[in-house]
Amino acid sequence: MNQVHTICYLSKANPNLTTEEIVDLFEQTEQNNRLNNVSGILLHSLGNFFQVLEGEEKFIGDIYENHILEDSRHSNVFEIYRGNISKPVFSNYLSQFQTITTSNQLDKIRKYLNSSEKFPISDKLTRLLRPFIIFD
């Protein structure tokens, strides 16, 4: 069985980012990740970003080390999880990669993670999402 590499992190958004810049970031991220067969989610709320990336280890590692960690649109990147999983958590969630911008979307993720199909890291992700509030 092929392993899927995943990286999950939390970071502090640059306080000078405008709403338009955040929307552009979400669109760029979603497009790049779909093109590169990456699943996962990206959240922004209360001045923070939360992202889960799932895919081929070489690509995920490269984008994280050489792009995400170097990106001035955020700082204080805290890596929550990095490793291989047997099956991507978000590959069956609506589309390959989702940027989450509303409370309703966040509720759907919580329900998805609590669904009958359990993943080894579902409970951890559910706990991490609890305090994450999105304002519509």
Side-chain angles (χ1 to χ4, degrees), residues 8-29:
C8 174
Y9 71 88
L10 181 68
S11 65
K12 185 74 177 158
N14 181 323
N16 297 319
L17 277 179
T18 65
T19 301
E20 183 178 285
E21 289 171 321
I22 292 169
V23 169
D24 288 344
L25 170 66
F26 278 22
E27 289 173 355
Q28 177 188 8
T29 300

Side-chain angles (χ1 to χ4, degrees), residues 4-133:
V4 176
H5 196 68
T6 187
I7 297 175
C8 174
Y9 71 88
L10 181 68
S11 65
K12 185 74 177 158
N14 181 323
N16 297 319
L17 277 179
T18 65
T19 301
E20 183 178 285
E21 289 171 321
I22 292 169
V23 169
D24 288 344
L25 170 66
F26 278 22
E27 289 173 355
Q28 177 188 8
T29 300
E30 189 166 359
Q31 181 181 22
N32 288 341
N33 288 344
R34 283 181 192 213
L35 288 173
N36 290 290
N37 204 27
V38 173
S39 56
I41 59 169
L42 173 61
L43 306 169
H44 175 264
S45 182
L46 302 173
N48 296 297
F49 288 111
F50 174 81
Q51 185 167 26
V52 176
L53 295 163
E54 303 169 324
E56 193 260 317
E57 184 172 2
K58 183 177 179 184
F59 180 78
I60 296 292
D62 177 64
I63 198 163
Y64 181 71
E65 297 292 334
N66 298 311
H67 298 280
I68 292 171
L69 292 178
E70 303 297 323
D71 196 325
S72 63
R73 294 174 287 193
H74 68 154
S75 61
N76 301 339
V77 176
F78 178 75
E79 192 174 295
I80 297 166
Y81 181 82
R82 183 179 194 157
N84 292 327
I85 54 178
S86 61
K87 181 177 176 184
V89 174
F90 292 100
S91 65
N92 293 322
Y93 183 75
L94 298 178
S95 70
Q96 285 187 318
F97 188 84
Q98 284 286 295
T99 52
I100 307 305
T101 57
T102 68
S103 308
N104 188 37
Q105 289 172 316
L106 185 60
D107 287 341
K108 286 179 182 178
I109 289 174
R110 288 181 180 134
K111 288 176 186 170
Y112 175 77
L113 290 172
N114 289 324
S115 70
S116 58
E117 184 178 8
K118 286 292 185 181
F119 302 94
I121 63 170
S122 291
D123 291 336
K124 292 176 187 172
L125 288 173
T126 300
R127 286 193 302 273
L128 287 168
L129 291 175
R130 267 191 212 129
F132 221 88
I133 299 168

